[in-house]
Amino acid sequence: MTEPERDRRAPAISIRGLRTQFGRQVIHDGLDLDVRLGEVLGVVGGSGTGKSVLLRTIIGLNRPRAGTIKVLGQEQARMSAAQWRRLQVRWGVLFQNGALFSSMTVAQNVQLSLKEHTALPQRLMNELAALKIELVGLPADAAGKYPAELSGGMRKRAGLARALALDPEILFLDEPTSGLDPIGAAAFDELIRSLQQSLGLTVFMVTHDLDSLRAICDRIAVLVEKRIRIGTMEQLLQDDHPWIHEYFHGPRARAALGA
Ligand SMILES: Nc1ncnc2c1ncn2[C@@H]1O[C@H](COP(=O)(O)OP(=O)(O)OP(=O)(O)O)[C@@H](O)[C@H]1O
Ligand SMILES: [Mg+2]
């Protein structure tokens, strides 16, 4: 898709004037964000600035105080329960802590949302789970293993297989490479990029990982002062907001980006 073509299409996610708060603590205020169809958007910001809350708000796990959120053209607040159910199957989520059920095998974890949202026969669900497990680069015998029997990197892949179970259009990832060694993290980045390209996914990825931002993100959204500043890496390198400047020009950035 060329840039002008992409810009003419409705965004995958469109947020206007978002305000979220817990008690008196305001997390987002007047936040606007458009995530383009088919892009990999990296979301960064200091710890506790509200990246995970933003993700959870977009997928309806946290109710905003004000503002509108449209996902795939549909506005959250205006949907019936049936419409909401149909929309929910169009995205997949890998939460910050992985959140696999420890008492279930990998295959059972992957099948959870299939069971919830489809009436497929068990044999077909087994086949679909095996396919997703292969898709994320896990060996076939991982299907019958419990999360505790997998390495950290394998658990992330299992979580990704679960997020892909319903063939989503949007993939939400919350710090998918945290806790992985640099080689494991780079391999995971590559996996996300290749899945995004082959499946045409839109990816909303919260990350602290500068290598991931450089390697796979088309644009970067920075959460500062309760709002989003968005741009390409090149554009943000020119941004003179103090936090953004420190983030992209500090010692870790110089090592990762050579900036
Ligand atoms: N359910 C909740 N109830 C009350 N406060 C909450 C809730 N969820 C998050 N918060 C608060 O909202 C703020 C933002 O949290 P969030 O988890 O989004 O941060 P984050 O940017 O993802 O940080 P990190 O990079 O450490 O993951 C924090 O101050 C947190 O304590
Ligand atoms: Mg978080």
Side-chain angles (χ1 to χ4, degrees):
M1 204 185 315
T2 63
E3 275 300 313
E5 263 178 290
R6 178 176 288 181
D7 282 345
R8 272 202 303 277
R9 293 168 59 182
I13 301 168
S14 184
I15 301 175
R16 291 292 175 275
L18 178 70
R19 181 181 174 89
T20 57
Q21 87 190 63
F22 297 107
R24 285 193 178 163
Q25 187 190 5
V26 177
I27 313 290
H28 309 115
D29 194 12
L31 182 150
D32 297 336
L33 172 66
D34 281 331
V35 183
R36 297 172 182 159
L37 272 174
E39 80 173 329
V40 179
L41 181 75
V43 181
V44 303
S47 190
T49 51
K51 304 179 297 295
S52 297
V53 170
L54 179 60
L55 189 161
R56 295 172 64 83
T57 306
I58 296 171
I59 62 173
L61 296 178
N62 177 56
R63 187 185 285 272
R65 294 290 176 101
T68 57
I69 301 175
K70 279 190 191 169
V71 181
L72 298 166
Q74 289 174 273
E75 190 179 333
Q76 250 183 36
R78 294 172 186 270
M79 265 181 267
S80 67
Q83 284 173 317
W84 178 245
R85 264 184 84 77
R86 280 199 297 277
L87 185 63
Q88 272 181 317
V89 302
R90 297 173 69 186
W91 64 62
V93 191
L94 179 56
F95 287 103
Q96 188 158 5
N97 50 16
L100 292 169
F101 288 96
S102 57
S103 61
M104 295 182 185
T105 65
V106 170
Q108 286 168 337
N109 268 284
V110 174
Q111 288 176 18
L112 267 182
S113 50
L114 293 174
K115 289 208 163 114
E116 192 186 337
H117 292 281
T118 72
L120 296 171
Q122 185 62 46
R123 185 186 48 78
L124 209 58
M125 280 199 276
N126 292 345
E127 278 175 30
L128 280 173
L131 225 106
K132 302 297 169 180
I133 287 164
E134 188 188 342
L135 188 66
V136 299
L138 284 173
D141 68 358
K145 292 194 172 159
Y146 289 89
E149 300 174 294
L150 304 177
S151 72
M154 290 170 89
R155 273 202 290 274
K156 301 266 187 196
R157 284 174 193 256
L160 189 59
R162 192 174 68 182
L164 293 170
L166 290 165
D167 297 325
E169 293 158 63
I170 306 178
L171 191 55
F172 291 95
L173 307 168
D174 199 345
E175 307 209 13
T177 57
S178 72
L180 299 184
D181 66 73
I183 295 171
F188 199 85
D189 282 344
E190 220 168 276
L191 171 65
I192 291 170
R193 192 38 140 178
S194 79
L195 288 173
Q196 184 268 335
Q197 284 174 347
S198 57
L199 305 175
L201 298 168
T202 301
V203 181
F204 179 104
M205 179 172 70
V206 177
T207 183
H208 281 293
D209 190 333
L210 280 154
D211 290 319
S212 300
L213 291 177
R214 192 196 45 189
I216 65 168
C217 294
D218 297 303
R219 292 193 303 160
I220 301 165
V222 190
L223 191 44
V224 279
E225 294 167 17
K226 305 180 176 42
R227 295 181 184 200
I228 291 283
R229 288 158 90 121
I230 197 165
T232 60
M233 176 80 81
E234 288 67 34
Q235 287 165 337
L236 290 170
L237 281 168
Q238 308 300 321
D239 196 310
D240 56 10
H241 184 282
W243 191 89
I244 298 176
H245 189 269
E246 177 60 22
Y247 187 79
F248 288 105
H249 296 272
R252 288 172 69 89
R254 281 200 295 276
L257 308 174

